[in-house]
Amino acid sequence: MLLVANWKAYVDDLARARELFSLAKRLVRKESGVRVVLAPPAPFLSALASGNTSSVLFAAQDISATTGGAQTGEVIAGAYASAGAAYAIIGHSERRAQGDTNAIVAEKLSRSLAQGLLPILCIGEHERDSDGHYLAGVREQLTTAFAPLTLKERKKIIVAYEPLWAINKSADQSIRPSDLTEMVLYLRKVLGEFLPGKGASHVLVLYGGSVEPGNERGLAASSQIDGFLVGHASVDSTTFAQLVRELA
Ligand code: PGA
């Protein structure tokens, strides 16, 4: 199982970032079967990743859609790769809320792949309706992301299903395991249009949205997912340790 810890803007202190990284290293040493990826705020990435010999890897929380140059404030994929990131979260709903359209997400995917960063593509509906219209939006997010890519590139994408209504809440307001199972089947069906043969079944699919120690096991057991993208529960040492142990 893969556990991606999205620290968002919760951590503003390098000492705290180092503590969480040390904890992650201790946990992965003890608990086999769990791979941990940390997505720290950009300024901490290099300090944490340089000289890292552990199996804990790093992700950018976002990358610039630009190719660099005269772009004040933009951090391009190559800079993240050089600072030690192996993955990049692309299209998180909190970035989409700041203007990332499906077209921008597609640009970011290709920038990320061009620099050797494995993209973690976030998709998910704002809300659900009883007629299943929300599925069309999710399909659109997937198809606009996958269609421009080569087959080789498509195989590198990790899909993180994160329904917006479940993000930043608590375990009891998160998705039900049966609903997640259904969604994962749907996602793999759509992915089948872009990846022939058994290709779609090899894509790593993560779930994110109020994963906490209270619901993680149930979701992992019943929904054919390959791991989790965790926000708030990943920046608390106690809950983060519980999350890793439960997955082991
Ligand atoms: P949450 O965030 O675990 O705090 O709900 C998940 C995410 O937004 O990636």
Side-chain angles (χ1 to χ4, degrees), residues 5 18 44 50 68 85 97 108 117 136 140 159 169 185 212 225 248:
R18 287 195 202 279
F44 301 146
S50 72
K108 290 186 174 184
L117 297 176
E140 172 89 3
V159 174
K169 303 273 174 53
L185 286 173
E212 294 181 347
I225 47 162

Side-chain angles (χ1 to χ4, degrees), residues 29-211:
R29 233 179 279 134
K30 268 201 251 156
E31 315 291 349
S32 60
V34 191
R35 291 187 295 139
V36 171
V37 172
L38 304 178
F44 301 146
L45 183 61
S46 187
L48 300 181
S50 72
N52 174 33
T53 52
S54 78
S55 66
V56 175
L57 295 175
F58 292 92
Q61 292 184 10
D62 183 30
I63 60 162
S64 173
T66 73
T67 48
Q71 306 284 348
T72 303
E74 295 289 323
V75 186
I76 56 174
Y80 278 108
S82 171
Y87 298 83
I89 298 174
I90 307 281
H92 191 282
S93 57
E94 287 152 13
R95 298 313 321 160
R96 291 183 191 260
Q98 296 298 320
D100 278 18
T101 59
N102 284 337
I104 292 173
V105 169
E107 281 287 322
K108 290 186 174 184
L109 283 178
S110 80
R111 304 262 176 270
S112 165
L113 288 162
Q115 295 299 326
L117 297 176
L118 293 174
I120 300 170
L121 167 69
C122 298
I123 55 164
E125 75 280 4
H126 279 267
E127 54 194 11
R128 290 201 165 193
D129 55 279
S130 51
D131 298 326
H133 292 310
Y134 64 94
L135 292 173
V138 172
R139 162 182 280 277
E140 172 89 3
Q141 289 177 328
L142 264 189
T143 54
T144 51
F146 273 76
L149 303 175
T150 64
L151 185 57
K152 205 169 149 207
E153 289 172 331
R154 289 172 186 171
K155 289 182 178 166
K156 293 185 177 150
I157 311 275
I158 297 170
V159 174
Y161 169 61
E162 297 208 305
L164 273 70
W165 51 266
I167 293 179
N168 203 23
K169 303 273 174 53
S170 57
D172 57 346
Q173 292 168 286
S174 183
I175 199 166
R176 287 191 309 227
S178 57
D179 289 340
L180 181 56
T181 306
E182 218 168 69
M183 181 52 103
V184 174
L185 286 173
Y186 178 73
L187 297 179
R188 292 205 191 276
K189 194 171 136 235
V190 177
L191 289 172
E193 295 166 21
F194 298 96
L195 293 154
K198 287 206 161 59
S201 62
H202 296 310
V203 174
L204 294 186
V205 178
L206 313 180
Y207 168 74
S210 297
V211 176

